[in-house]
Amino acid sequence: MTRTRVDILAAAQRSFAEHGYVLTTIRGVARAAGVDPALVLQFFGSKDGLFDAALRDDPPVRALVTLAGEGDPSDLGARLAARYLELWEDPHTGPRMLAVVRAAAAAPSASAMVTAFMTDEVMLPMARAIGADQAELRAALTGAYLFGVASARYVLGVAPLAALDREAAVAYVAPVVQHHLTGDLTPP
């Protein structure tokens, strides 16, 4: 990857995090990266192409897939919940994750890219790492639950969930995540 492309991606990630999908422009990203807007279009084709590349460039949630393949499955729920909430609270990764959620809500094209990314880069690899029966369903339930918790806690600020310290939040969230990963999934 060329230095110019790296600079453009970094500028795009900052812009999407600071201004959101709707207000981020090719011209603004180009200005921040110190390049001509035509170069941004040459590398990425469009704003959607730029967003997709920024989304897939060293995504914070990739750490969750790695975590799913390590350690004892009996405490994976606690480890995943702790790491996921930690990513949201980290000053480097949290704004990127927030930008992704807001972009998905703001534009249908961004929503489709986030869905494809989550399926290809997180849910399917996590299902393979879990290696249990109904692994894809388990990964999808885990992802949906964690996404819902993060949306309520970090995007909407729903009380009292948003007011809990991280350790307390993990204590509440982890058993549900563990159930999705290793519990009985027989429908009622």
Side-chain angles (χ1 to χ4, degrees), residues 7-9 11-12 15-16 19-54:
D7 291 345
I8 293 169
L9 274 177
S15 184
F16 287 124
H19 307 294
Y21 180 85
V22 173
L23 296 179
T24 292
T25 64
I26 295 291
R27 288 185 188 278
V29 169
R31 187 173 37 259
V35 300
D36 188 276
L39 193 54
V40 177
L41 292 173
Q42 179 182 333
F43 277 122
F44 303 101
S46 65
K47 179 175 167 178
D48 282 349
L50 180 62
F51 178 75
D52 191 51

Side-chain angles (χ1 to χ4, degrees), residues 3-4 14 18 50-52 68 87 95 103 107 149 155 173:
R3 183 77 227 158
T4 301
R14 281 191 309 274
E18 293 170 9
L50 180 62
F51 178 75
D52 191 51
L87 288 171
V149 168
V155 179
V173 170

Side-chain angles (χ1 to χ4, degrees), residues 4 7 19 36 46 49 51-52 55 61 68 77-78 81 88 93 101-102 117 124 132 138 151 153 173 187:
T4 301
D7 291 345
H19 307 294
D36 188 276
S46 65
F51 178 75
D52 191 51
L55 175 67
V61 291
W88 273 94
T93 57
V101 171
R102 288 185 173 156
F117 166 76
L124 291 176
R138 290 177 183 282
S151 295
R153 183 172 165 86
V173 170

Side-chain angles (χ1 to χ4, degrees), residues 76-86 146 166 170 173-174 177:
L76 181 55
R79 290 184 290 120
L80 274 176
R83 183 67 179 125
Y84 186 66
L85 297 183
E86 182 182 297
L146 287 172
R166 186 178 348 141
V170 168
V173 170
V177 173

Side-chain angles (χ1 to χ4, degrees), residues 87-113:
L87 288 171
W88 273 94
E89 293 177 13
D90 181 276
H92 176 69
T93 57
R96 284 187 63 195
M97 293 174 70
L98 181 60
V100 169
V101 171
R102 288 185 173 156
S109 60
S111 178
M113 285 181 273

Side-chain angles (χ1 to χ4, degrees), residues 104-157:
S109 60
S111 178
M113 285 181 273
V114 171
T115 300
F117 166 76
M118 290 302 293
T119 300
D120 299 343
E121 301 292 329
V122 180
M123 294 304 152
L124 291 176
M126 186 174 289
R128 286 190 292 273
I130 293 168
D133 67 309
Q134 301 182 55
E136 287 184 25
L137 176 59
R138 290 177 183 282
L141 287 168
T142 299
Y145 179 69
L146 287 172
F147 179 79
V149 168
S151 295
R153 183 172 165 86
Y154 302 108
V155 179
L156 302 175

